[in-house]
Amino acid sequence: MKRWSPLLLLLALVLSSGGTRAGAQAAGEVEPEHPSSERVLTLRYWQAPSLLIPWLSNGEKDVEAASPGLEPLAGYRPDGSLVPRLAATIPSRANGGISADGATITWTLKQGVRWSDGTAMTAEDVVFTWKYCLAHGSGCQRRQVFDDVVSVQALDPHRVQIRFMQSKPYPYAVFTGSRMPIVSKRQFGDCLGVVARSCAQERLPLGTGPYRITSFTAAGNVAYVRNPFFHGEQPYFDRVDLKGGGTALDGARAVLEEETAEYSWNVQAEHQALQELEDQGLGRLAVAFGGYVERIYMNQTNPSPALGERRSSHDNGQNPHPFLTFPPIAQAMSMAIDRQMIVEQLYGFKGRPECNIVAAPSDYISTTNDACLIQDIDGANALLDSHGVVDDDQDGIRDYRGTPLRVTFQTTANTVREATQNLIRDWWQQIGISTDLIQRDAEIFFGGDPVLQKGETYHRFFADAQMFTRAVEVDPENFLFDVTCNAIPDHENKWTGGNISRACNSDYDALFAQLRQTSPGPKRQQLVKQLNDLILRNGYEIPLINRGIASAVATNLRGFEANPWDSQLWNIAQWSRLESSDRNQGNPLGVE
């Protein structure tokens, strides 16, 4: 166990324990100044973070920004295997960590782990994190992962046991990955329930990771320093500066042209522009393909502004969408899309046409929907005609039971997404569907408060259709839960449910219940495929592109490994800079 000098403990306490976001901003939005001898790593995130507690946000930008400081029990390697973080080892039946009946999993924590203020991290912090998420009114975005959890119990300071309602075929879905880190009970113990979000906005979270958060500005800039109490080897860089804002292309330029940053996340810009930047030789583009599918969610509820607070509310099925609940319409809208053209014109090397919602791992991929790879405008028109969805008043727009097919289609303000919208609008026009396009600010769309900022967030879904990317995890169970009736966002859960389309289908729920009781293997794989196909057959979502996570990485940055299953900063403790005298030696990027 590490021993900490009284001076070091005092220093960390002064720097960390009372840190507030407001206090960090008191001096204004000033660029940090660092001594020339310090090793400073600069990151660019064009989608600026807005919250540093991932439990309260579904935005990947927030998960990424929190991950250098906050840690889960275990993370994921690029191949999808688990790697211990706060845990000493991965529980299994062989080592006694998983009970014979499969209903409990016991995690043993590393000895001597401390928060960044020097206080001990224990199993009680894990228990608290569970309570923090489930507290009524908290706005926790991942409460569904605990849907079948009976209890989380500290057996002693270094062992925590999770008990499930029944045998859990895949028991690793709780407290694993950067989306589900452990938070400090001492720091946030007074922040349960409705005050959780305001606390998270006001306080800089303590962490156990390689870096300690020292400031978080209103502009979405985050500053970190080495965490003196990190339980692993101290990282190479003394400080990390994350700069938020701008465009995806701005972020790529910062690394590949301007040399003002070593890393830029999610460079979702036109592939031709990115390749031209890469050709300058100052860095490279690294792409990780996994389960990130750019998709269109089809609202199953009525988003009419005339409904007031009932707008896009499920209301126990009493507020259906006037035409998108009729599956042939969404099916025709999918058939009209030329996915290959979207890839060729906009995504290039960082995208592939996709016909499934569950696009990874490979054992779970359905082949039932492969017809979507070929655009079929004629077939889409014939499908609508055959179901009587025709242009009743000869105004060029089809009608369904007297309602014209006019859709509002929203996404985030981004050149690739806006260009995709324009293409899809033209294709939908060819099958008699009129489309109005809306672009939202990404910071608010993904990280805003759905209660206060309402229609500016994707949670509230004040549109007929909306487009963005969601990732499937290594095991798809948690992801597929988000299409059950219990996961519908509503007033009661503060719009935190993951069922964005507001679909409620008893056949789907019954299949999902089978999945929860089925061990990994061919039967579980088949159930996942059936659930995927049911989503598409009913038109709840339209898959478009399997999006690789594209990062711009400077030539002199070593250690980066693109990871489709976790934060791109998952191994930031191993990053280092290739100094000028070493640049001609070895692999400068450490990228495979």
Side-chain angles (χ1 to χ4, degrees):
M1 183 183 298
K2 293 182 179 179
R3 296 183 181 274
W4 310 103
S5 70
L7 179 60
L8 191 56
L9 282 167
L10 179 61
L11 174 62
L13 285 167
V14 170
L15 290 174
S16 295
S17 62
T20 65
R21 183 173 180 182
Q25 294 171 10
E29 308 294 330
V30 179
E31 289 292 317
E33 295 184 5
H34 309 302
S36 59
S37 61
E38 283 192 322
R39 296 166 172 168
V40 181
L41 171 67
T42 302
L43 315 174
R44 282 295 300 266
Y45 278 67
W46 67 274
Q47 287 185 9
S50 52
L51 207 61
L52 295 181
I53 300 291
W55 294 98
L56 304 182
S57 172
N58 257 336
E60 292 297 315
K61 61 191 178 59
D62 299 323
V63 174
E64 292 274 330
S67 63
L70 279 67
E71 296 183 294
L73 297 181
Y76 292 95
R77 297 184 180 91
D79 64 1
S81 62
L82 285 165
V83 56
R85 297 291 293 275
L86 291 172
T89 188
I90 304 300
S92 66
R93 279 191 167 84
N95 63 22
I98 298 175
S99 62
D101 64 0
T104 65
I105 182 171
T106 302
W107 292 86
T108 299
L109 306 180
K110 292 178 180 177
Q111 298 283 329
V113 176
R114 293 179 179 269
W115 294 104
S116 50
D117 65 351
T119 57
M121 181 269 166
T122 73
E124 291 294 345
D125 291 301
V126 183
V127 176
F128 169 74
T129 302
W130 170 58
K131 295 178 179 178
Y132 176 81
C133 179
L134 291 188
H136 181 73
S138 68
C140 181
Q141 297 292 322
R142 291 177 176 81
R143 62 187 306 120
Q144 76 278 1
V145 304
F146 300 116
D147 185 63
D148 60 348
V149 172
V150 174
S151 65
V152 179
Q153 179 183 6
L155 302 180
D156 59 44
H158 296 100
R159 288 188 304 149
V160 62
Q161 185 179 84
I162 302 168
R163 180 173 296 278
F164 301 98
M165 291 180 180
Q166 57 194 9
S167 179
K168 184 75 169 176
Y170 186 82
Y172 303 114
V174 179
F175 300 128
T176 57
S178 297
R179 298 180 183 90
M180 292 183 280
I182 308 305
V183 296
S184 166
K185 177 181 179 180
R186 193 181 72 84
Q187 185 182 29
F188 290 103
D190 61 343
C191 295
L192 295 178
V194 294
V195 296
R197 191 177 185 91
S198 60
C199 283
Q201 291 170 331
E202 294 167 359
R203 303 178 188 182
L204 299 176
L206 299 173
T208 55
Y211 290 100
R212 176 172 55 83
I213 300 166
T214 58
S215 72
F216 181 25
T217 73
N221 298 326
V222 190
Y224 316 77
V225 299
R226 282 177 178 166
N227 175 8
F229 301 104
F230 179 48
H231 50 89
E233 289 188 22
Q234 282 292 313
Y236 171 89
F237 291 101
D238 300 297
R239 293 181 179 270
V240 179
D241 288 338
L242 184 154
K243 299 181 179 180
T247 67
L249 193 58
D250 291 337
R253 285 192 180 115
V255 174
L256 303 175
E257 183 176 70
E258 300 163 0
E259 296 186 283
T260 55
E262 283 89 357
Y263 173 80
S264 184
W265 171 78
N266 188 26
V267 287
Q268 191 184 7
E270 292 88 343
H271 66 97
Q272 299 95 333
L274 290 175
Q275 288 174 326
E276 289 174 6
L277 289 171
E278 186 181 36
D279 289 344
Q280 296 185 36
L282 298 177
R284 62 162 289 177
L285 296 163
V287 183
F289 281 97
Y292 282 81
V293 175
E294 186 83 353
R295 69 197 65 193
I296 302 173
Y297 290 89
M298 309 301 279
N299 199 339
Q300 300 300 292
T301 62
N302 194 337
S304 171
L307 294 173
E309 286 302 309
R310 294 185 65 236
R311 186 178 186 184
S312 292
S313 178
H314 185 256
D315 285 352
N316 294 317
Q318 300 304 305
N319 188 33
H321 193 280
F323 55 82
L324 288 179
T325 51
F326 185 56
I329 293 176
Q331 292 167 7
M333 294 168 80
S334 178
M335 293 168 66
I337 295 170
D338 189 337
R339 292 160 174 82
Q340 187 61 43
M341 180 180 290
I342 295 173
V343 169
E344 291 174 357
Q345 292 190 9
L346 303 175
Y347 283 87
F349 61 90
K350 52 187 172 56
R352 301 167 182 167
E354 185 55 63
C355 294
N356 290 301
I357 300 303
V358 179
S362 58
D363 288 341
Y364 294 111
I365 299 175
S366 170
T367 57
T368 303
N369 313 293
D370 288 354
C372 98
L373 294 173
I374 300 175
Q375 182 189 41
D376 189 1
I377 295 286
D378 291 340
N381 277 312
L383 177 64
L384 293 173
D385 289 342
S386 68
H387 284 89
V389 185
V390 297
D391 183 5
D392 292 330
D393 51 9
Q394 304 302 307
D395 63 351
I397 301 172
R398 292 178 183 267
D399 301 277
Y400 176 71
R401 295 182 177 178
T403 300
L405 302 193
R406 300 181 187 272
V407 300
T408 54
F409 180 23
Q410 70 180 13
T411 189
T412 56
N414 167 279
T415 54
V416 171
R417 282 187 168 144
E418 290 173 37
T420 303
Q421 275 187 316
N422 288 329
L423 287 172
I424 291 174
R425 177 181 59 189
D426 292 345
W427 293 323
W428 286 349
Q429 184 178 8
Q430 293 179 49
I431 62 170
I433 297 175
S434 174
T435 309
D436 293 324
L437 305 181
I438 301 172
Q439 291 85 38
R440 305 285 189 189
D441 178 86
E443 180 179 353
I444 298 174
F445 190 71
F446 292 122
D449 186 335
V451 176
L452 298 178
Q453 292 164 306
K454 296 187 179 181
E456 297 178 75
T457 69
Y458 76 88
H459 310 78
R460 295 300 293 270
F461 203 168
F462 284 2
D464 300 290
Q466 61 184 358
M467 177 177 65
F468 57 90
T469 294
R470 277 196 67 193
V472 174
E473 296 163 359
V474 172
D475 183 88
E477 181 179 317
N478 278 348
F479 170 82
L480 291 168
F481 174 84
D482 281 348
V483 193
T484 64
C485 299
N486 286 337
I488 293 174
D490 57 26
H491 293 281
E492 181 65 23
N493 61 30
K494 299 185 71 173
W495 308 99
T496 57
N499 188 340
I500 306 304
S501 293
R502 283 92 161 127
C504 186
N505 185 304
S506 58
D507 292 338
Y508 183 95
D509 283 10
L511 271 178
F512 182 78
Q514 291 183 45
L515 178 71
R516 277 203 157 160
Q517 300 175 35
T518 305
S519 299
K523 184 176 180 181
R524 186 174 178 85
Q525 294 163 14
Q526 185 59 35
L527 285 169
V528 169
K529 294 174 185 178
Q530 288 178 273
L531 288 163
N532 171 89
D533 295 347
L534 194 153
I535 293 169
L536 302 182
R537 188 166 61 249
N538 285 277
Y540 302 148
E541 301 176 27
I542 297 176
L544 297 174
I545 306 296
N546 187 332
R547 263 186 56 194
I549 306 171
S551 299
V553 186
T555 300
N556 64 348
L557 184 66
R558 294 190 296 182
F560 172 79
E561 291 185 68
N563 190 334
W565 306 112
D566 213 326
S567 165
Q568 297 310 296
L569 308 180
W570 72 281
N571 69 334
I572 193 172
Q574 283 78 55
W575 292 13
S576 63
R577 179 178 292 125
L578 187 68
E579 304 301 342
S580 56
S581 59
D582 300 323
R583 289 195 181 190
N584 293 323
Q585 301 178 23
N587 175 8
L589 295 177
V591 178
E592 297 180 357

